[in-house]
Amino acid sequence: MQKLSIIVPCFNEEKALPLFYEELIKYIPDMAYEIIIVDDGSKDKTVETGLKLKARDPNIKIISFSRNFGKEAGILAGLKESDGDLVVLIDADLQDPPRLLPEMIEILKDDEYDSVATYRVTRAGEPKIRSFFARLFYKIINKMIDVEIVDGARDYRMMKRPMVDAILTLDEYHRFSKGIFAWVGFNTKYIEYENEKRVAGETKWSFWGLFKYAIDGIVGFSTVPLRLATLIGALVSVFGFVYMIYIAIKAIFFGDPVAGYPSLIVIITLLGGIELLVLGIVGEYLARTYVEVKRRPKYIIRKRY
Ligand code: UDP
Ligand code: MG
């Protein structure tokens, strides 16, 4: 008989959590299970709400962080604490519909698959501009990394134990789960569903937050931007060299009336921009190296219930 671990990262989900639980238990099949609520430093009554549920259902565990460490840290903590043969990551806002759980378990009975992942076929209910940038992000990142990340893929997925253990061996600080899932490999089956609106509360993602997340994803899984920097440098150097010869010949044969102020300014600002851009790219990698070598914990647990 197998055990199912359900990991629910929660940040300020006091409103959504009870609704989520009611929906969830409808779809947990007749098997041993644990629900791990990872409270990511919530400022509202998420823990109290969780404890009320726990009074009803002893299979609930709550891990409470000392502050907000982000969803990725929550996922990591949940995976570490879990001991099921099957582990599923699911959001507390019902955007990851629990009704898919039985189907996922059914698929994993097949020896062929190690994981079932989900992706949204629509992004209805999401701001247009956000969808646009999300699509763009998947296009860019898939060009840059060796493994493939499915457009619209959610973190909502169920995995068998060996895959979970593999994920836990990836010990980086800047975690980008979608990349990690793809990187560890294993046979994954994708199932699709229509986008669902958050049941209560509000999204924690600002546009800026998503932008940083996107940069994390690219820098964390690809060194292509560094090579791009080299390439830009090489191209600019070649251009500069050719231009130098042109200027020299012009000066020798036609004299050198002092002019060309506009072109000078254009070149200086353009080169200044390119230099800063390339420096910035290098800086992104350096900054991450810096954070990684500090080897700080990815989260701190304040209390377990
Ligand atoms: N979450 C978290 N820590 C955070 C932000 C979010 O644990 O710092 C949880 C949140 O409670 C929810 C899930 O991650 O269960 C997804 O968050 P959200 O719904 O805000 O993201 P979206 O669905 O809009 O991408
Ligand atoms: Mg959500």
Side-chain angles (χ1 to χ4, degrees):
M1 194 64 213
Q2 291 198 314
K3 179 173 174 183
L4 174 67
S5 298
I6 301 158
I7 298 168
V8 198
C10 288
F11 177 52
N12 295 344
E13 300 287 6
E14 62 173 10
K15 288 206 202 84
L17 201 52
L19 302 170
F20 167 75
Y21 178 76
E22 294 309 331
E23 181 73 8
L24 177 70
I25 44 162
K26 283 190 222 160
Y27 296 101
I28 300 178
D30 187 22
M31 68 194 293
Y33 69 94
E34 60 176 354
I35 301 173
I36 303 178
I37 297 175
V38 185
D39 158 49
D40 187 10
S42 298
K43 295 266 180 298
D44 66 357
K45 298 217 175 339
T46 298
V47 175
E48 286 86 339
T49 314
L51 284 173
K52 262 181 220 150
L53 295 173
K54 186 177 164 58
R56 280 170 50 194
D57 185 345
N59 295 309
I60 296 182
K61 280 188 202 166
I62 304 171
I63 308 167
S64 194
F65 284 176
S66 62
R67 65 168 171 87
N68 181 246
F69 281 91
K71 185 184 176 187
E72 292 291 336
I75 291 177
L76 178 67
L79 291 178
K80 267 201 187 137
E81 302 284 322
S82 71
D83 62 358
D85 315 279
L86 294 175
V87 178
V88 61
L89 301 169
I90 184 166
D91 285 359
D93 59 4
L94 287 177
Q95 279 192 298
D96 299 337
R99 66 184 144 76
L100 299 179
L101 287 176
E103 186 187 344
M104 290 171 141
I105 293 170
E106 204 51 48
I107 291 169
L108 289 183
K109 281 189 182 147
D110 190 340
D111 202 36
E112 194 189 333
Y113 294 111
D114 308 292
S115 132
V116 185
T118 60
Y119 69 99
R120 295 180 298 185
V121 277
T122 54
R123 287 179 177 273
E126 198 183 67
K128 284 251 156 34
I129 179 124
R130 189 171 147 172
S131 311
F132 171 76
F133 278 106
R135 291 238 158 76
L136 188 69
F137 166 69
Y138 285 108
K139 280 218 182 79
I140 293 176
I141 195 166
N142 278 322
K143 287 241 154 56
M144 288 186 173
I145 64 177
D146 303 332
V147 289
E148 206 200 327
I149 298 178
V150 174
D151 181 2
R154 305 276 302 167
D155 289 333
Y156 184 25
R157 71 162 63 211
M158 189 180 287
M159 295 166 280
K160 288 181 182 164
R161 181 47 54 183
M163 182 166 175
V164 174
D165 289 340
I167 289 169
L168 289 175
T169 60
L170 269 70
D171 199 31
E172 60 234 62
Y173 187 89
H174 282 285
R175 299 186 77 79
F176 178 68
S177 280
K178 289 188 179 78
I180 293 176
F181 296 145
W183 193 90
V184 294
F186 293 93
N187 296 333
T188 300
K189 183 175 170 80
Y190 279 90
I191 55 178
E192 54 174 58
Y193 69 95
E194 304 269 315
N195 191 35
E196 312 231 346
K197 287 216 175 89
R198 171 177 258 286
V199 60
E202 54 201 49
T203 175
K204 279 47 175 209
W205 288 102
S206 62
F207 193 80
W208 180 235
L210 278 173
F211 180 73
K212 283 201 293 192
Y213 188 64
I215 299 284
D216 265 347
I218 293 172
V219 174
F221 282 88
S222 168
T223 50
V224 170
L226 285 175
R227 224 164 300 141
L228 224 56
T230 314
L231 195 71
I232 293 172
L235 285 177
V236 171
S237 302
V238 168
F239 172 78
F241 188 74
V242 172
Y243 194 59
M244 180 186 77
I245 292 173
Y246 163 74
I247 294 283
I249 291 174
K250 209 174 106 179
I252 291 167
F253 291 105
F254 301 99
D256 184 20
V258 178
Y261 176 76
S263 58
L264 207 61
I265 289 297
V266 168
I267 289 171
I268 288 176
T269 44
L270 193 71
L271 282 186
I274 292 175
E275 270 166 38
L276 287 179
L277 177 76
V278 168
L279 206 60
I281 294 175
V282 177
E284 288 291 334
Y285 286 86
L286 183 67
R288 276 165 184 76
T289 312
Y290 172 63
V291 172
E292 293 292 346
V293 293
K294 281 203 273 194
R295 304 215 56 78
R296 287 196 179 154
K298 285 137 213 129
Y299 55 84
I300 293 169
I301 294 175
R302 189 181 75 83
K303 196 163 177 184
R304 281 165 216 268
Y305 303 88

